[in-house]
Amino acid sequence: MVVVVFEGNIYRRLGVFRAVVARVKHLRRALPERWRVRTVMVQGYDAGLLRLLHGKPRVTPLPHTLTADGVDIEVRGFRHRLLDGFVQRVCRRQPPLYTRWLRHLGHELAATEGLCALSAHDRIAAVAAHEAARQASVPLYITWHGASIYTDPRRRGYLRQQTADLLSRATTNFFVSDGLRRLAVDLCPQLRGEVLPNGADNAFRPLSEPERQHVRAARGIADNTAKVVAFAGRFEAVKNVDLLPVHLCPTLLLAPWRRTVARACGTEAHRAVRHTAGVRARTGGTGADAHPVGLCRRVGATQPT
């Protein structure tokens, strides 16, 4: 039995959700027939006073299970607490109740019959998966995305040590680019890692805050709250590229920030997105030849903001 754990949202089944479903389907094909894959999704949500404070709509009760593209997913929901928010924002420490709940989930996963390995998708899922791997003495594989490596540990110091610990304890860490792997090495020099490219060129990297402000100023975007849109990834369905023609083109034409996007992307962005949709229509496939690097060259951008 292989257990796949990830953080997601059943109401917003975007890139990560679809990528995990694709991974589970691949594991089913690759593993021997007698092996099974158990998929568990963690979803945190606000309710009561927290929901009102954050201005979020009321959510319907989470189902215990759901099926997405033929994959059965067990849903584990955690209701965020005021204490956790206070400890995170004021004390700058780990949310105690959420962390304890994740470790309790790990204890449950460790009891999975025939457990042979765990695969975690990003940091929050890795907390639960690590606890399960530790108790069951089985390998742990963690896939990392950008925010959990180059954003969260740097903006929230209390996450730096936790991220480094998870990186060091994983049997193997997987990164979506070599650049992300190098940043992870800065956090944990002794990590064991492999790169599974997601289609973004290695020239892409996160901009520092001074660089970000310089790029925005050079493109006439003085307002720091204005939106800048970038899509760095293969043009494939699992990356939600099919939403680009549907949402991006109308967005470029809408006030109040139409000019901001036009300055950042150039009018070629319209033709580039239409070209992408045309490639998909002609090939009946993913439009993989419409590489994002080519798109960025057409819209005059050398690095994403």
Side-chain angles (χ1 to χ4, degrees):
M1 173 74 78
V2 175
V3 174
V4 177
V5 193
F6 72 104
E7 183 192 19
N9 188 323
I10 66 171
Y11 307 111
R12 299 179 67 247
R13 303 182 187 185
L14 302 179
V16 170
F17 187 98
R18 297 171 68 171
V20 171
V21 170
R23 167 178 293 184
V24 172
K25 294 171 69 175
H26 173 76
L27 281 173
R28 286 176 174 174
R29 292 191 299 267
L31 292 172
E33 187 175 346
R34 59 186 175 84
W35 285 52
R36 293 177 297 151
V37 180
R38 178 187 180 188
T39 310
V40 180
M41 189 193 82
V42 174
Q43 178 170 339
Y45 63 94
D46 292 339
L49 182 58
L50 271 181
R51 181 181 65 81
L52 296 175
L53 288 174
H54 295 160
K56 294 185 178 180
R58 185 186 301 274
V59 297
T60 57
L62 296 176
H64 296 295
T65 60
L66 62 91
T67 300
D69 200 12
V71 174
D72 294 328
I73 301 173
E74 302 174 32
V75 180
R76 299 290 187 272
F78 176 80
R79 176 179 170 178
H80 293 304
R81 302 298 202 276
L82 280 170
L83 175 62
D84 279 350
F86 176 82
V87 171
Q88 279 184 291
R89 290 170 175 78
V90 178
C91 304
R92 299 291 181 181
R93 295 185 179 277
Q94 298 280 358
L97 302 179
Y98 195 21
T99 302
R100 185 174 65 182
W101 181 84
L102 287 170
R103 289 174 177 162
H104 179 76
L105 174 60
H107 180 75
E108 175 197 331
L109 298 177
T112 301
E113 183 178 356
L115 179 63
C116 296
L118 289 113
S119 171
H121 214 84
D122 239 355
R123 178 183 58 81
I124 289 178
V127 173
H130 169 258
E131 183 65 21
R134 183 187 66 82
Q135 292 188 26
S137 300
V138 297
L140 168 64
Y141 304 93
I142 307 176
T143 300
W144 296 91
H145 290 264
S148 291
I149 297 296
Y150 68 70
T151 302
D152 295 344
R154 288 162 174 78
R155 291 183 177 178
R156 303 174 182 178
Y158 64 87
L159 292 179
R160 186 178 181 90
Q161 187 59 52
Q162 183 191 59
T163 304
D165 289 344
L166 292 170
L167 286 165
S168 67
R169 294 170 182 174
T171 306
T172 304
N173 296 279
F174 296 107
F175 305 95
V176 296
S177 71
D178 190 57
L180 189 62
R181 184 191 64 81
R182 289 194 299 268
L183 288 169
V185 169
D186 291 340
L187 293 172
C188 178
Q190 71 273 22
L191 68 82
R192 296 168 293 279
E194 299 289 342
V195 176
L196 299 176
N198 74 341
D201 192 280
N202 275 335
F204 287 93
R205 61 179 177 83
L207 297 180
S208 67
E209 190 61 27
E211 289 174 314
R212 178 176 176 273
Q213 294 301 330
H214 175 75
V215 170
R216 294 175 71 91
R219 297 187 181 276
I221 312 171
D223 182 1
N224 198 44
T225 64
K227 307 290 186 181
V228 179
V229 179
F231 185 90
R234 281 196 303 267
F235 281 359
E236 294 185 359
V238 73
K239 297 292 183 181
N240 288 65
V241 72
D242 50 325
L243 299 180
L244 284 178
V246 177
H247 295 296
L248 182 56
C249 284
T251 300
L252 290 172
L253 302 175
L254 289 176
W257 50 288
R258 174 181 59 81
R259 288 186 179 180
T260 297
V261 180
R263 286 174 184 156
C265 299
T267 56
E268 279 291 319
H270 297 270
R271 288 192 288 273
V273 173
R274 283 200 297 270
H275 167 73
T276 304
V279 169
R280 289 175 54 81
R282 289 195 303 273
T283 63
T286 62
D289 55 329
H291 195 276
V293 173
L295 171 63
C296 288
R297 286 172 182 159
R298 285 194 293 277
V299 302
T302 56
Q303 291 186 19
T305 54

